[in-house]
């Protein structure tokens, strides 16, 4: 088990939520959640140097909030590794997050299980 830290803060007068994600290696990524008209987007500033934009697709009580790939900036090719789906589940002080990446047509799922520190 590795230690991860995720923190959240509002920016731009509450119009966006920044998720800062740090891992034991010291690599930090950010995902910014914001509205684009009526659509909720998540722009993921990946440590790989690309920036996938994911669009909210559903909120299911069992599987959580889900985002799916819309497009990306700075993506070398469609075969390059990039985030294509994300699911977030909150249960009290527990947060589970699935990050689904694709590289060369193959999916890789990472599930993070975090507990809120007060």
């Amino acid at each position: 088990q590795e230690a991860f830290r995720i923190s959240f803060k509002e920016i731009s007068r509450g119009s966006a939520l920044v998720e800062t994600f740090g891992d034991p290696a010291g690599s930090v990524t950010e995902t910014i959640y914001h509205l684009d008209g009526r659509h909720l987007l998540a722009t993921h500033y990946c440590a790989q140097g690309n920036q996938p934009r994911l669009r909210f697709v559903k909120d299911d009580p069992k599987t959580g909030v889900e985002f799916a790939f819309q497009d990306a900036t700075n993506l070398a090719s469609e075969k390059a590794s990039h985030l294509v789906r994300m699911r977030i589940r909150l249960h009290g002080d527990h947060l589970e997050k699935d990050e689904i990446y694709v590289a060369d047509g193959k999916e890789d799922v990472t599930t993070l299980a975090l507990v809120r520190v007060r």
Side-chain angles (χ1 to χ4, degrees):
Q1 236 179 28
E2 298 179 44
F4 287 87
R5 182 172 296 272
I6 293 180
S7 62
F8 296 91
K9 71 176 179 179
E10 289 182 0
I11 60 170
S12 300
R13 293 181 21 187
S15 67
L17 180 68
V18 178
E19 172 193 274
T20 302
F21 173 89
D23 69 21
S27 178
V28 174
T29 63
E30 289 190 332
T31 302
I32 299 179
Y33 302 88
H34 62 92
L35 288 174
D36 181 19
R38 294 186 353 232
H39 303 283
L40 179 61
L41 296 181
T43 303
H44 178 69
Y45 295 86
C46 190
Q48 297 177 120
N50 56 49
Q51 301 83 32
R53 291 192 318 156
L54 298 107
R55 183 181 292 245
F56 169 81
V57 290
K58 70 178 178 179
D59 183 6
D60 183 286
K62 292 180 183 175
T63 60
V65 176
E66 187 169 338
F67 291 83
F69 184 79
Q70 174 177 293
D71 59 16
T73 58
N74 207 38
L75 187 60
S77 77
E78 289 183 18
K79 291 186 176 192
S81 177
H82 61 285
L83 185 65
V84 293
R85 285 195 321 281
M86 192 168 52
R87 287 185 296 267
I88 302 166
R89 294 171 299 285
L90 293 170
H91 305 285
D93 286 340
H94 297 266
L95 180 144
E96 291 179 356
K97 183 176 182 184
D98 299 326
E99 294 183 339
I100 299 94
Y101 281 79
V102 167
D104 203 20
K106 295 182 178 136
E107 285 194 354
D108 180 38
V109 179
T110 299
T111 299
L112 305 170
L114 301 141
V115 178
R116 182 179 184 180
V117 176
R118 294 182 185 246

